[in-house]
């Protein structure tokens, strides 16, 4: 990828304990907020949960975009997630927090971003609490959008057998080449953090360890759903300011990653939408379309 393209990318991209379970404000009766203490981060993280009607159901971990859901922009705020999953045999868990962190374990505390051990939280601490509280089946899937799209794939790789399925909506699942460093670094910088505190020297060993492109082989046997749109606004777009350039970049990234998986003989479900410009209307459609694939993988 040329230096000019990298610059465009950079500019555009710019053991847990349950503390309490309380009703979510202004939410349907079946929705709760699960507060979980993270020893790794030494703080309580809140998680919106749509519980399955019966015990023994699998779990979908649904990650949001760059603001971490703390900015009032999330699956919960901008889609029909409550209504869609009301009759589904699955626990849906939506963590609140992690803005501009890539939902990964940082190697050092940051003066602005603080202590971030999101991989530990999402793959060990939170699932332990969810499984205990909701008597789950222990079969899980994870999905992410925009910032968390590539993170979801990285987490599915890092966590071994924890997640049987993963969905990436409108993201760029690689991190260690020049373009990947530019994109991932821009997200962290946007939140005021130092990318070196996340993974060390740009493109170095830790960056490579978290590069889904380099470690794609570890997705073998999992259900992988990849989607993005052209960036051309269309009737699919609603709830959010369209971002045609960002979505066009995500489409290019997602297509390249799908091609890479296909070359490895790991056939993903790849949806390349002709219209859509990085809005929640598009992401809601992606969630709906991916659900049958995720559900089959986890027995929902």
């Amino acid at each position: 990828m040329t230096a000019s393209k990298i610059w465009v990318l950079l500019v555009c991209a710019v053991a847990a304990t349950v503390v309490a379970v309380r009703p979510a404000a202004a939410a349907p009766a079946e929705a709760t907020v699960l507060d979980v203490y993270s020893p790794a981060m030494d703080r309580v993280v809140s998680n919106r949960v749509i519980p399955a009607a019966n015990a023994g159901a699998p779990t979908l971990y649904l990650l949001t975009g760059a603001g971490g859901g703390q900015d009032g922009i999330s699956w919960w705020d901008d889609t029909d997630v409550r209504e869609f999953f009301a009759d589904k045999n699955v626990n849906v868990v939506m963590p609140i927090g992690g803005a501009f962190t890539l939902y990964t374990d940082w190697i050092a505390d940051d003066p602005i971003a603080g202590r971030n051990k999101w991989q530990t939280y999402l793959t060990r601490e939170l699932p332990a609490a969810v499984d205990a509280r909701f008597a789950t089946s222990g079969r899980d899937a994870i999905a992410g959008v925009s910032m968390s799209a590539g993170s979801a794939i990285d987490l599915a790789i890092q966590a071994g057998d924890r997640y049987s399925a993963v969905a990436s909506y409108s993201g760029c699942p690689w991190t260690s080449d020049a373009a990947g460093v530019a994109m991932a670094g821009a997200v962290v910088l946007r939140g005021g953090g130092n990318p070196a505190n996340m993974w060390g020297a740009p493109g170095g060993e830790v960056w490579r360890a978290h590069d889904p492109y380099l470690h794609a082989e570890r997705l073998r046997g999992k259900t992988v759903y990849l989607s993005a749109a052209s960036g051309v606004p269309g009737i699919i777009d609603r709830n959010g300011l369209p971002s045609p350039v960002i979505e066009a970049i995500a489409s290019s990234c997602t297509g390249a990653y799908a091609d890479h998986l296909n070359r490895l003989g790991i056939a993903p479900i790849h949806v390349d939408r002709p219209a859509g410009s990085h809005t929640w209307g598009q992401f809601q459609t992606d969630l709906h379309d991916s659900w049958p694939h995720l559900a089959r993988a986890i027995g929902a």
Side-chain angles (χ1 to χ4, degrees):
M1 187 170 290
T2 66
S4 61
K5 288 184 179 179
I6 293 169
W7 177 246
V8 169
L9 291 168
L10 179 59
V11 171
C12 294
V14 164
T17 301
V18 178
V19 176
V21 179
R22 50 187 164 82
E30 69 273 19
T32 62
V33 172
L34 179 67
D35 290 336
V36 177
Y37 172 67
S38 165
M41 294 190 283
D42 192 23
R43 66 176 183 263
V44 173
V45 179
S46 295
N47 309 268
R48 293 188 177 98
V49 181
I50 304 169
N54 302 305
T59 303
L60 170 63
Y61 292 89
L62 197 53
L63 307 180
T64 193
Q70 298 162 292
D71 52 1
I73 301 172
S74 69
W75 296 104
W76 183 265
D77 298 294
D78 296 290
T79 74
D80 67 350
V81 66
R82 282 166 282 185
E83 294 77 13
F84 180 71
F85 284 107
D87 62 348
K88 307 291 191 294
N89 182 41
V90 65
N91 303 289
V92 182
V93 180
M94 295 164 280
I96 305 169
F100 308 109
T101 66
L102 269 67
Y103 289 114
T104 190
D105 280 4
W106 289 36
I107 64 172
D109 293 353
D110 187 271
I112 302 298
R115 176 168 298 174
N116 292 292
K117 298 292 182 181
W118 287 97
Q119 177 181 314
T120 298
Y121 180 73
L122 291 168
T123 63
R124 292 166 50 194
E125 296 174 343
L126 178 59
V130 169
D131 290 349
R133 171 63 179 83
F134 298 102
T136 73
S137 69
R139 300 180 66 182
D140 301 333
I142 189 167
V145 62
S146 193
M147 176 194 79
S148 66
S151 300
I153 295 180
D154 180 45
L155 289 165
I157 289 170
Q158 301 292 335
D161 296 333
R162 163 61 67 183
Y163 304 112
S164 301
V166 58
S168 166
Y169 314 123
S170 298
C172 281
W174 62 70
T175 58
S176 65
D177 67 357
V181 168
M183 290 182 290
V187 172
V188 174
L189 289 168
R190 183 180 165 196
N194 182 347
N197 287 330
M198 180 175 69
W199 288 336
E205 180 181 356
V206 183
W207 290 75
R208 292 192 299 273
H210 288 280
D211 191 329
Y213 195 93
L214 297 180
H215 301 286
E217 178 64 37
R218 289 158 65 182
L219 291 171
R220 192 173 299 279
K222 300 179 187 292
T223 294
V224 181
Y225 183 97
L226 308 170
S227 63
S230 65
V232 177
I235 59 173
I236 198 172
D237 290 308
R238 60 187 182 278
N239 291 1
L241 183 67
S243 301
V245 175
I246 291 177
E247 188 60 31
I249 293 170
S251 178
S252 177
C253 292
T254 300
Y257 194 67
D259 290 344
H260 180 54
L261 292 184
N262 279 315
R263 286 192 295 271
L264 293 174
I266 304 171
I269 300 97
H270 177 214
V271 177
D272 184 14
R273 299 191 184 282
S277 56
H278 215 73
T279 64
W280 285 99
Q282 175 193 325
F283 306 148
Q284 176 177 292
T285 302
D286 290 331
L287 178 61
H288 288 196
D289 289 353
S290 66
W291 173 243
H293 304 284
L294 303 179
R296 279 193 294 272
I298 59 177

